[in-house]
Amino acid sequence: MSNPYLLLTPGPLSTSDSVKETMLRDWCTWDDDYNLGVVQPIRQQLVELAHCAADQYTSVLMQGSGTFAVESAIGTLLPKENGKLLVLINGAYGQRIAQIAEYLNIETATLTASESEWVSAEALRTKLAEDSAITHVATVHCETTSGILNPVEHYAEVVKAAGKTLIVDAMSSFGGIDIDVAGLNIDCLISSANKCIQGVPGMGFVIVKTSVLEQCQGNARSLSLDLYDQWQAMESGNGKWRFTSPTHVVRAFQQAMKELDQEGGIGKRAERYSNNHQTLVAGMKKLGFECVVEDEKQSPFITTFKYPQSDRFDFKQLYDRLKEAGFVIYPGKVTDTPCFRIGHIGEVYPVDMETLISAIEANIFWQ
Ligand SMILES: *Cc1c(COP(=O)(O)O)cnc(C)c1O
């Protein structure tokens, strides 16, 4: 079955036919074929993709969408007593981490910047010096709200110099840009199947320092999102999940990892995403569109465009026409600017961006 349109939405996104085809087979959750043949290799490959040594980092897979994995990490890493989380916020996903912490009754502080700006590393340094109760810092790598790529290397330097635990939501960046997790001394990184790895939705994963996770027994505020217990089950059961695992999703993820490797690894994929982004932006600028995020801060994953300055511009109308032409784009999320977003990750190529630009050009009804 072919798809009626390409998803230019940053997750779920368009996946390859070969990824989808792997889901035609059923798997037994406690059989070695699945646990040793699918789950354990994935866990090992994730640690490698993050440039981590297997004796220092581990990875844990978690059922659910990306937010479930974030919630499992926050709820399990923060100790029940004397823990305080500082969240760096410049968009909806940073906000969501703070909201998760609030739901879980975790003491929380925030540092906030506007959606097209970075929280400054200097402000972070000052905050950590002022508030010694802070034990953990959480940041979002690519804030998918705007497409801004936050300077996680600078934050890592400051957070680790202050001796705090660093948690990175790399949902929409991991696999699409090289992240030296061990080199940056990141304690915990969270991502999910249906973004730059190009799998299908239903599972997230957490890459975490083993020495950090070892300290987390009994911390979890939720049974099903207990990352420590999930890890223990996967370790002792050689890839066994505590509760029903999304077998088809996990098998598709394994295929997606293989295709990432076949493409030439993260470097090559990053190059393709970058080409997608550049082709898109060059074309959109020719049509008179302006980006919300400045070039130096822009990620290669998703781009936010301001609405054209015309009373006749109607996003819904553009959306519908582009859908008919074979592309689904994404409404805006930046609060103070009317805008829309176009994702350029997934099974999407520069030629698709060119076709999209032609479709937009053919539909400029607002001039
Ligand atoms: C997609 C995404 C998430 C998770 O969203 P879900 O809808 O739960 O999958 C979290 N953080 C960022 C930065 C994201 O892009």
Side-chain angles (χ1 to χ4, degrees), residues 252-288:
F253 185 75
Q254 183 182 36
Q255 177 64 22
M257 292 278 276
K258 185 173 160 192
E259 291 177 16
L260 171 60
D261 186 53
Q262 285 167 343
E263 186 170 353
I266 291 177
K268 284 289 173 202
R269 179 156 296 178
E271 225 174 277
R272 171 164 62 90
Y273 287 170
S274 220
N275 287 340
N276 287 348
H277 167 73
Q278 280 161 21
T279 308
L280 174 72
V281 170
M284 290 294 275
K285 283 190 172 161
K286 261 195 199 150
L287 299 180

Side-chain angles (χ1 to χ4, degrees), residues 10 65-67 70 93 96 140 142 144 169 171-172 192 194-195:
S65 84
T67 305
V70 174
Y93 292 99
R96 189 176 297 174
V140 177
C142 169
T144 321
D169 171 350
M171 206 68 65
S172 58
S192 76
N194 63 279
K195 301 236 165 137

Side-chain angles (χ1 to χ4, degrees), residues 60-220:
V60 190
L61 315 183
M62 184 58 75
Q63 297 98 327
S65 84
T67 305
F68 292 60
V70 174
E71 190 155 344
S72 77
I74 300 292
T76 307
L77 260 60
L78 270 287
K80 273 199 172 136
E81 271 158 38
N82 300 322
K84 182 169 181 177
L85 179 67
L86 172 65
V87 189
L88 311 186
I89 301 176
N90 58 346
Y93 292 99
Q95 207 94 51
R96 189 176 297 174
I97 295 176
Q99 195 185 11
I100 287 170
E102 195 184 314
Y103 261 68
L104 300 179
N105 281 320
I106 290 167
E107 204 185 335
T108 306
T110 57
L111 269 179
T112 305
S114 87
E115 285 149 323
S116 51
E117 292 298 333
W118 289 335
V119 170
S120 90
E122 211 33 60
L124 172 60
R125 195 192 314 275
T126 307
K127 183 78 181 169
L128 291 178
E130 277 172 8
D131 189 347
S132 61
I134 293 167
T135 52
H136 295 65
V137 177
T139 180
V140 177
H141 190 203
C142 169
E143 196 23 286
T144 321
T145 308
S146 62
I148 195 169
L149 194 66
N150 286 317
V152 69
E153 324 74 52
H154 297 163
Y155 299 153
E157 221 177 283
V158 174
V159 171
K160 298 320 292 183
K164 314 295 180 186
T165 303
L166 178 60
I167 302 171
V168 178
D169 171 350
M171 206 68 65
S172 58
S173 57
F174 186 77
I177 197 168
D178 203 37
I179 309 175
D180 186 353
V181 174
L184 293 173
N185 205 357
I186 292 169
D187 295 281
C188 174
L189 178 140
I190 308 143
S191 190
S192 76
N194 63 279
K195 301 236 165 137
C196 296
I197 307 275
Q198 299 186 182
V200 304
M203 173 195 110
F205 54 88
V206 181
I207 297 166
V208 55
K209 256 187 214 162
T210 313
S211 58
V212 169
L213 194 52
E214 275 168 350
Q215 306 298 314
C216 296
Q217 183 170 20
N219 283 354

